Amino acid sequence: MDLILREERPDDRDAIRLVNERAFDRPDEANLVDALRSEARPFVSIVAEQGGVIVGHLVFSPVTIAGQPAEGSPRLLGLAPMAVLPDHQRRGVGSALVRLGFDTCRALGAVAVVVLGHPEYYPRFGFRPASSFGLRSEYDVPDDVFLALELRPGSLSGRSGSIRYHEAFASF
Ligand SMILES: CC(C)(COP(=O)(O)OP(=O)(O)OC[C@H]1O[C@@H](n2cnc3c(N)ncnc32)[C@H](O)[C@@H]1OP(=O)(O)O)[C@@H](O)C(=O)NCCC(=O)NCCS
């Protein structure tokens, strides 16, 4: 069955909650998505639909480097959360979401993306340890789980510091 990838629509919200609750087996990520939708700009929300059912979902929201104002600086986005229904995992849905997501981020003028996540999964898209760009996480996490990718080559040169996620992540 064909996989349709597209930006979310208002009538997808319940299905997006369900995908996140099922993938993470708790409501926290679904709540985070709802908070980002109402507070974060840009809010990039991509769904994967198969046979009329939302089977995967991915969000990008703005991140900043501590001490560097977002205004006037090239746009950086954070990938989170990403979820695929358990019985649809390992069939390329997540990868398709990430690839369309990058195109959408580029179209919004983003120059780089960061992600806090599985170190075995994200390097396949070109992510490298964020520390290799001089970027660190505001959270106390192992070096190899905080990753970054330049959508525009060289865009992270000279932009070292601590990455701050949107404040909706603080209550997560
Ligand atoms: C992570 C997730 C979004 C990947 O989606 P997916 O549609 O299964 O991914 P794809 O089919 O594109 O890729 C599958 C590959 O990812 C790997 N993979 C999937 N989940 C993984 C995990 N938790 N850790 C490491 N690798 C993982 C698989 O081994 C597979 O690798 P292979 O292609 O070498 O066999 C999905 O597994 C999921 O929703 N997990 C639960 C929620 C979660 O952990 N979200 C990410 C938070 S960082």
Side-chain angles (χ1 to χ4, degrees):
M1 219 180 295
D2 283 351
L3 191 67
I4 297 169
L5 295 152
R6 59 173 175 77
E7 294 197 48
E8 76 161 42
R9 297 191 297 243
D11 62 350
D12 294 326
R13 291 178 185 181
D14 290 347
I16 287 172
R17 274 202 72 86
L18 190 70
V19 169
N20 281 276
E21 287 172 353
R22 299 255 333 266
F24 290 99
D25 207 20
R26 59 181 194 176
D28 306 48
E29 285 76 10
N31 294 340
L32 174 63
V33 170
D34 286 341
L36 289 170
R37 182 183 293 113
S38 46
E39 297 166 25
R41 296 295 176 270
F43 170 71
V44 181
S45 175
I46 315 277
V47 297
E49 181 184 330
Q50 198 161 41
V53 175
I54 304 292
V55 298
H57 176 244
L58 168 63
V59 170
F60 294 89
S61 62
V63 299
T64 55
I65 301 176
Q68 300 182 19
E71 228 164 280
S73 299
R75 179 171 277 168
L76 308 178
L77 296 176
L79 185 170
M82 165 150 97
V84 173
L85 284 177
D87 53 358
H88 287 73
Q89 291 176 7
R90 305 200 167 201
R91 297 186 200 166
V93 175
S95 302
L97 281 166
V98 171
R99 297 209 167 91
L100 177 72
F102 287 166
D103 293 342
T104 311
C105 292
R106 273 194 203 91
L108 286 168
V111 298
V113 175
V114 296
V115 66
L116 187 56
H118 308 299
E120 306 83 12
Y121 185 62
Y122 292 101
R124 69 187 67 197
F125 305 109
F127 281 99
R128 289 164 35 194
S131 59
S132 66
F133 297 104
L135 296 171
R136 58 186 184 278
S137 172
E138 62 189 310
Y139 308 108
D140 186 19
V141 292
D143 190 56
D144 63 344
V145 304
F146 190 53
L147 305 158
L149 175 142
E150 292 178 328
L151 295 170
R152 187 190 296 165
S155 60
L156 290 176
S157 294
R159 299 204 66 198
S160 58
S162 175
I163 292 284
R164 298 282 151 91
Y165 277 81
H166 187 275
E167 59 190 25
F169 283 83
S171 50
F172 168 60

